[in-house]
Amino acid sequence: MDLTYTEEEQDFRARLREWLAKVLPELPARPSPDDWPGRRAYDAGWQRRLYEAGYAGLHWPVDAGGRGATPTQHLIFLEETERAGAPYVGANFVGLLHAGPTIAAEGTAQQRARWLPPVLRGDEVWCQGFSEPEAGSDLASLRTRAVRDGDDYVITGSKIWTSHAEVADWCELLVRTDPAAPKHRGISWLAMPMDAPGVTVRPLRTLAGSTEFAEMFLDEVRVPVGNRVGAENDGWRVTMVTLSFERGTAFVGEVVACRRTLGELARTAKGNGRWDDPVLRRRLGRLYGEFGALWRLTQWNVSEAERSAGGVPGIGGSVFKLAYSHARQELYDTAAEVLGAQSLSLAEEWTLDRLSSLSYTIAAGTSQIQRNIVAERILGLPKGR
């Protein structure tokens, strides 16, 4: 097996590095964490730069507006943008990493033409309307109801943990279109405009003080039937496509960031004397090995996804999500050991990252759900009763 980079890939890396070195100093100052309109504008501006330079949608197929890059070029892009400290997708993450790829895989030609170019250009932001107060891990028990009325669905219900709802233009929304059907078979996947009458958004404040989540209330909201992606009542299958992207490839940039953080932790420990603790050194060494293995698994998942029909990641994404969630939590627990009393200060970036890491074993499917998927779909074990 040849693991060396081709001349074309090396040229891609060199051109990307040159472009990043040119444009990053030109970026405006990052807005305050509480300034969501400012953060949206900042993230959209970065996405527009990527689009104009030909780097937007590297992981999307060409017929969806993507660049048709190879899996290796996609990974090189992630490595180089993280190394350079470039902005992440930010408020655009649902559209770029979840909704957009789902529409690319499952939408009609008209739907792809309508929704995908604005996502790639940074013109429109999406949020995710999946979880409900009584439908978290058991997502298929959702109750938000959509009743057909001519060419529209009339939607009533509520959602929670709706990422970036406060600045979103569109919502990938799961609704129950057949309450009499078995719970997994009566669901539909809709694209809902967030400015539709009857949509109310209330921000939720996290442990770290941020408000990137919201609860959303839907009071007889009308959504055109033409906004349904996939067949009516086939939304659970479409949702599995969305979750495959969320678990399989959406976290790849974060693995690169965690590997960089690990190096910074080692340098900080050497500077403040914590490096003299052999237990801490062993822990850092083991984490180095874990994140190295996770990066290899990431490379495999991205390669498999981009070779599959529609570019949909396989169930290996659950293996990655399970391992990554726990490794990330241990990474920032270790950061607290390195920082000592400083780890109690919210002024420390690693403190905020540690608080954020607590959600990773819940978000995008709990670790318990991922273990069930691995047990049943990979190991072939029987379902629990």
Side-chain angles (χ1 to χ4, degrees), residues 33-349:
D34 294 327
D35 179 10
W36 278 106
R39 290 179 65 176
R40 171 186 165 138
Y42 183 88
D43 295 338
W46 173 244
Q47 184 62 28
R48 169 67 72 166
R49 287 174 180 262
L50 290 174
Y51 180 81
E52 292 175 347
Y55 292 118
L58 291 180
H59 60 299
W60 286 20
V62 173
D63 61 1
R67 304 302 178 181
T70 67
T72 301
Q73 287 174 328
H74 178 204
L75 294 169
I76 288 172
F77 172 82
L78 294 170
E79 289 177 332
E80 291 300 321
T81 51
E82 180 58 38
R83 183 194 64 82
Y88 190 51
V89 290
N92 296 310
F93 89 90
V94 174
L96 284 167
L97 306 180
H98 304 171
T102 300
I103 294 169
E106 297 290 334
T108 64
Q110 293 80 4
Q111 290 172 336
R112 293 197 297 271
R114 165 59 189 88
W115 285 311
L116 299 186
V119 170
L120 290 176
R121 292 193 302 263
D123 294 340
E124 293 180 347
V125 170
W126 284 66
C127 63
Q128 186 179 78
F130 282 15
S131 296
E132 297 181 5
E134 297 183 11
S137 293
D138 186 15
L139 181 59
S141 65
L142 64 92
R143 297 180 181 179
T144 295
R145 188 168 179 178
V147 178
R148 183 79 174 260
D149 181 23
D151 292 333
D152 292 337
Y153 289 111
V154 180
I155 303 168
T156 302
S158 66
K159 297 291 179 177
I160 199 166
W161 312 124
T162 309
S163 305
H164 298 315
E166 67 280 4
V167 293
D169 303 293
W170 291 90
C171 177
E172 51 173 5
L173 185 71
L174 295 187
V175 295
R176 188 160 298 285
T177 41
D178 186 356
K183 67 179 184 179
H184 290 86
R185 299 180 186 174
I187 295 171
S188 295
W189 197 107
L190 304 179
M192 181 185 73
M194 290 296 288
D195 61 356
V199 178
T200 301
V201 174
R202 296 178 185 170
L204 295 169
R205 193 164 295 278
T206 69
L207 183 64
S210 61
T211 56
E212 67 264 29
F213 298 120
E215 53 184 348
M216 183 170 65
F217 300 91
L218 309 171
D219 183 13
E220 296 190 348
V221 179
R222 301 187 77 91
V223 173
V225 173
N227 286 20
R228 187 190 66 232
V229 175
E232 185 170 280
N233 299 325
D234 191 33
W236 186 251
R237 184 190 62 80
V238 179
T239 301
M240 291 303 99
V241 172
T242 305
L243 293 178
S244 292
F245 284 114
E246 187 172 8
R247 296 164 183 167
T249 56
F251 289 117
V252 292
E254 296 189 30
V255 176
V256 181
C258 285
R259 296 180 77 188
R260 176 176 54 80
T261 297
L262 192 58
E264 293 174 358
L265 273 178
R267 287 189 289 274
T268 300
K270 291 175 182 178
N272 67 9
R274 294 289 292 137
W275 188 255
D276 296 335
D277 183 348
V279 175
L280 178 65
R281 289 202 307 273
R282 271 199 305 273
R283 192 171 185 182
L284 289 170
R286 184 167 53 78
L287 283 169
Y288 181 84
E290 280 198 47
F291 279 103
L294 278 169
W295 181 241
R296 294 304 181 193
L297 180 57
T298 293
Q299 292 174 310
W300 185 85
N301 281 340
V302 169
S303 297
E304 285 297 296
E306 298 193 30
R307 281 198 295 265
S308 69
V312 180
I315 55 177
S318 289
V319 177
F320 169 82
K321 167 63 170 57
L322 180 62
Y324 172 69
S325 297
H326 290 271
R328 183 184 176 93
Q329 287 184 349
E330 185 173 359
L331 171 66
Y332 287 106
D333 284 347
T334 306
E337 287 188 38
V338 172
L339 290 175
Q342 285 181 272
S343 67
L344 300 177
S345 171
L346 291 179
E348 292 285 347
E349 182 180 356

